[in-house]
Amino acid sequence: MGNRIDGKAFADQLCESLKTEIESLVAEHQLRPTIAVVLVGNDPASHVYVRNKVRRCEQLGIESIEHRLTSSTSQTELLDLIEEMNQDSNINGILVQLPVPEQIDDKAVIDAIAPEKDVDGFHILNAGALAVGQNQMVPCTPLGSMMLLKDQLGDLSGMHAVVIGRSNIVGKPMANLLLQENCTVTVVHSRTKNIEEVCRTADILVAAVGIPQLVKADWVKEGVTIIDVGINRVLVEGTEEEGKSKLVGDVDFDQVIDKAAAVTPVPGGVGPMTIACLMYNTVAAAKKQTGIS
Ligand code: NAD
């Protein structure tokens, strides 16, 4: 039976050390890291994500400023707000919760955020910096996934890492981080042929697809370490909980746990690390902007 990687415990530890660091930034430098969170529209999942992020900020002593805008907000209105926050030296980090309503171009929004305040790490300059190995702001989910992998495996050098999914926010930055750790990296996606066969050669498997329990036992080899990024809401079937919904990953945890060396569960794996790394990026941004090493 493989090891269940406790992302929640790791995230709690990271947040504890950030809290201590923030206390000393406030005491010694009168610097309280501040993040502005913008939510446009009524997407229920986005509301939950924002609430969880703001709650973590409060626990750690990060100041959060929330902007809740209606679903009819125009792109110009949103870009004006971002520009105002770019100019405000009290704001260290800016996060616009995605997705935004369809009248707004998300790429324009991401690239309007000052790169040094882009705590999500999605700005094209931050993506480019990561691609050439000069990391500035690294996207939170791949950053948190990499922390778990290094904690689990130590040196990743020479390992074959397979990343399922090639999105700009998870798959591609994850592949770049794995390359930086000297892994041999394969990225597979919706057009890949013989995907199971490729996955079976992985020492490290990162699933970031959005298909519930896609990865089965016969997709993996003995001893693999699996990071399940997927968050999928599905209806419960066949138990007394029938009709209720629950969260599952892109990996069939119960099937792979007997073959794998270690697997992140959903929930309780990568999710908490994503929020912890948002806090990490916000503290790093605040220090960098004020010249504190
Ligand atoms: P996305 O939709 O942008 O990208 C999905 C990728 O999967 C695409 O590159 C696509 O080519 C690939 N894909 C689709 N069908 C496939 C198939 N049958 N076989 C192989 N590849 C296939 O999604 P995303 O934003 O990268 O998110 C992926 C998953 O991770 C989602 O479930 C999302 O909710 C979750 N997510 C979790 C966190 C977290 O904090 N844990 C953060 C971001 C995203």
Side-chain angles (χ1 to χ4, degrees), residues 76-93:
T76 310
E77 283 170 313
L78 180 55
L79 294 183
D80 286 349
L81 173 63
I82 291 171
E83 187 47 29
E84 209 177 286
M85 297 189 295
N86 283 342
Q87 300 300 332
D88 185 342
S89 59
N90 292 318
I91 293 176
N92 307 114

Side-chain angles (χ1 to χ4, degrees), residues 163-166 187-195 208-209 211 214:
V163 180
I164 319 179
R166 57 173 164 179
V187 179
V188 298
H189 48 78
S190 54
R191 306 286 180 90
T192 301
K193 293 182 178 129
N194 304 327
I195 197 164
V209 188
I211 300 180
L214 175 74

Side-chain angles (χ1 to χ4, degrees), residues 242-263:
E242 179 137 358
K244 291 189 179 164
S245 70
K246 64 171 183 176
L247 293 181
V248 298
D250 291 342
V251 175
D252 193 327
F253 184 92
D254 293 338
Q255 276 202 16
V256 302
I257 190 72
D258 287 332
K259 272 178 111 176
V263 189

Side-chain angles (χ1 to χ4, degrees), residues 160-164 185-189 192-205 218-221 224:
H160 183 208
V162 175
V163 180
I164 319 179
V185 181
T186 306
V187 179
V188 298
H189 48 78
T192 301
K193 293 182 178 129
N194 304 327
I195 197 164
E196 293 100 317
E197 213 172 284
V198 181
C199 290
R200 272 195 293 274
T201 65
D203 304 308
I204 295 169
L205 185 64
D218 61 350
W219 285 49
V220 302
K221 74 172 178 190
V224 63

Side-chain angles (χ1 to χ4, degrees), residues 227-249:
I227 301 290
D228 188 355
V229 176
I231 301 180
N232 310 290
R233 190 162 281 285
V234 296
L235 284 177
V236 177
E237 288 168 8
T239 70
E240 59 196 33
E241 300 272 272
E242 179 137 358
K244 291 189 179 164
S245 70
K246 64 171 183 176
L247 293 181
V248 298

Side-chain angles (χ1 to χ4, degrees), residues 20 31 33 38-39 69 90 108 111 124 127 161 229 239 242 255 262 274 291:
T20 308
L31 172 64
V38 184
L39 179 57
L69 309 181
N90 292 318
D111 291 333
I124 196 160
V229 176
T239 70
E242 179 137 358
Q255 276 202 16
T274 297

